[in-house]
Each structure stands twice: as structure tokens, then as C-alpha cells.
Amino acid sequence: MHADNWYILGAGSIGCLWAASLCHKGLTPRLILRESSYQRFEHKRIPLKLSTQKQVKCFDIDIVSPGAIDSPINRLIVCTKAHDALAAVCSVESHLTDSCQILLLQNGMGSQQAISDTFPEQIVWAGSSTDGAYLSAPFDVCHAGQGQTWIGPIRKHKDSTQGFNGLLENFRLKVSQYDAIEQKLWEKLAINCCINGLTALFNCRNGELLDNDEKQTWLNQLIAETSRVLTALDIETPSLQECVYGVCQATANNISSTCQDARQGRATELPFINGFLIDKAHALGIPVDNHRKLMDQLRASGIQ
Ligand SMILES: NC(=O)c1ccc[n+]([C@@H]2O[C@H](COP(=O)([O-])OP(=O)(O)OC[C@H]3O[C@@H](n4cnc5c(N)ncnc54)[C@H](OP(=O)(O)O)[C@@H]3O)[C@@H](O)[C@H]2O)c1
């Protein structure tokens, strides 16, 4: 049996990164796969490879499916995309203890609140991360960019100081507790909602948005609209234009995750990024015509 059961839901890039990092710390997390994926594996203990620029490490890890979980879950780290997160947590609902702590690592906003509302008994945390990881093959993860992850409880809870303390020290990922986690989620969303959708629409690298032409004009309009929403919500951020331009310059050669999803014909997380912003703006009565136009044109191009 697993005394302090750590479960990771979703065995993609971030799920494998967090699973390997917990193994590196000496913990024994288990990776939860979809039932259909799990059935394809004959062996339920599999090698998990973690590569960085400096080294490669291998760990053995148990995989499970919702139907194969045989111990209560009291630590769950959710590593699916935003649009899959609620259904994924619901698939393991019967295994969650009442005091289970759930950490949500999705980009964007909206999915965290939906899960927190659906699971009022459990202590739900959200995280915002600048780590970069990708899978070279199943269970073979490359930690390409060492970043910073902020985590904080979504609702105030008397036990929430205990939650994920174990991740704050002696952990190969840089994790800090940040109680006003919504602020961090907004900071990242504000930048992503200016850059990601545009890169998908123009099928371009981040740096190409600063073209002194059509793309940059649209980028500036998105920045102005987003800034007005942030101001109305009393969310203090440094100059959004400086942040967005800084990201475009620092990651000029990168292809955003949204552009990659669009290229592969996968659903993007934009409904939880620009979609969330548009809903908030609507509730506040702030026009965000350029965000709407962007979403309309993406839809017309078959990008969801
Ligand atoms: N990768 C990064 O560098 C990075 C950095 C910062 C933040 N993030 C954020 O982290 C989140 C995860 O990103 P990612 O890159 O790890 O995505 P990913 O590689 O696509 O992994 C998501 C995984 O979740 C699995 N999944 C979906 N629904 C499931 C369910 N019901 N049960 C079990 N597994 C399920 C998917 O399986 P299927 O393939 O079968 O659907 C997939 O393996 C996203 O919100 C992303 O924006 C990623």
C-alpha cells in the first residue's frame, strides 16, 4: 500500500515531468492513465526517463487507470490540458479522500474554478508554471526549460498550509507557495491571450509577431484590451506591453504550444485563455472586439 499516496493524473509532458521529479525526491507517485491507454500496457510498472541538458535519469513507476486504483488518493496532481481536467478528476472521484489535496497545473483559467466548485470537500490548489517540458516518446520526458512554479489554494481552507509543503524544499522543480494564486494565473493568462492565438492564426513563431505591420498592430490592440480588463478587475501587473514584447523577444524562435496544437489539429486551450478573458470582459461591460475577432477568425480557420 502507498502510505502518503501521490497520484499524477495525465501522463503527458508535465505529468511525466512531475512524476519523475517526485521519484527523484524519493517519493513513489503513481501515474493515472485513461482506461483505454492503460489496457495497452502489459506491464504495469514501467521505466520513466527524465532528460535535462546535463543528465538523464531513469525511474520505475506504477501506472494505473481509474478502474485499477486500489488505494485512496490523498494527493492528486492534475496534469491534463485545461479542457480535459474536470472530466479527468471526475473519473477518479470515488477514490478521493475527503481531505484529499488536489493540485491543478493547467494553463489558462476557468477549469480550476469548475473543479473547485465540483469538489467542495477537497482542498483544491492551482499552479502557474514557467517550466518547459516535452515528450520525446511516451514516458520519456525532456525538461527543456527550468522555470518557476507558484502554487496556492483556490479557496481559503484551515488545512491548506499543510498541503504541498513537501514540494517546497529538496525538490528538483522550483516550487513556491503564493497565496494570491489567482493573480499569478491572470499574469500568465494576460500574456498568453495576446501572443498564443495570434501565433496560431498566423502560423508563426513568437518573435514574428513584432513585425511592425499587421501582426504587431493586432498584438497592440489585444494588449490594450487586456490591460483594460485587468485594470477593471484591480489586477496589478507591470506594463503588459513590456511583458508581452519581452516574451516575444526572449522566445522569438519558439513555436507556442497553441500554434503547435493548431498545426497538429488538436484542440487548443484558447477557450480557457482568450475565451475566459472575453467572458470576464462581457460581465464587466468592457469591449474586447479584437479578442472576439481573433477567436472568430481562428474558428473560421478550423482552429478550436
Ligand atoms: N508542456 C509544457 O512545457 C507546459 C508548461 C507549462 C504549463 N503547461 C500546461 O500543463 C498542462 C498539461 O500540458 P502538457 O504539455 O503536459 O499536455 P500533454 O502533453 O498533452 O499531456 C496531457 C495528458 O493528459 C492526458 N489526459 C487527458 N485526459 C485524461 C484523462 N481523463 N485521464 C487520464 N489522462 C488524461 C492526455 O492523454 P491523451 O493523450 O490520451 O488525451 C495526455 O497524456 C496544460 O494545461 C499546459 O498548458 C505545459
Side-chain angles (χ1 to χ4, degrees), residues 190-210:
I191 295 171
N192 285 346
C193 76
C194 296
I195 297 176
N196 291 21
L198 274 187
T199 60
L201 187 65
F202 289 105
N203 189 16
C204 70
R205 292 174 190 272
N206 294 352
E208 291 173 72
L209 294 181
L210 302 179

Side-chain angles (χ1 to χ4, degrees), residues 122-179:
Q122 283 77 18
I123 304 172
V124 182
W125 294 59
S128 176
S129 180
T130 58
D131 274 309
Y134 63 87
L135 287 184
S136 308
F139 307 108
D140 182 349
V141 64
C142 176
H143 191 188
Q146 171 75 251
Q148 166 76 50
T149 303
W150 289 273
I151 62 170
I154 294 181
R155 280 177 276 115
K156 284 268 166 280
H157 195 287
K158 58 180 174 5
D159 292 335
S160 53
T161 49
Q162 307 293 321
F164 290 99
N165 276 355
L167 301 178
L168 306 181
E169 283 171 16
N170 301 321
F171 191 40
R172 61 171 300 285
L173 300 177
K174 273 203 240 163
V175 180
S176 309
Q177 184 160 342
Y178 194 89
D179 283 335

Side-chain angles (χ1 to χ4, degrees), residues 11 26 31 40 51 58 60 71 81 97 108 123 128 131 138 153 182 196-197 200 206-208 216 219 271 289:
L31 262 172
R40 277 188 241 127
S51 314
C58 272
D60 286 328
S71 60
K81 292 278 179 73
T97 62
I123 304 172
S128 176
D131 274 309
E182 211 184 320
N196 291 21
N206 294 352
E208 291 173 72
Q216 192 166 344
L219 182 69
D289 296 349

Side-chain angles (χ1 to χ4, degrees), residues 9-15 32-34 37 79-82 84 88 91 105-107 129 131-133 188 269:
L9 185 49
S13 314
I14 291 294
I32 308 171
L33 276 54
R34 290 181 199 270
S37 311
C79 301
T80 68
K81 292 278 179 73
D84 288 325
S91 75
L105 292 177
Q106 285 60 56
N107 252 350
S129 180
D131 274 309
K188 189 167 181 189
E269 294 186 296

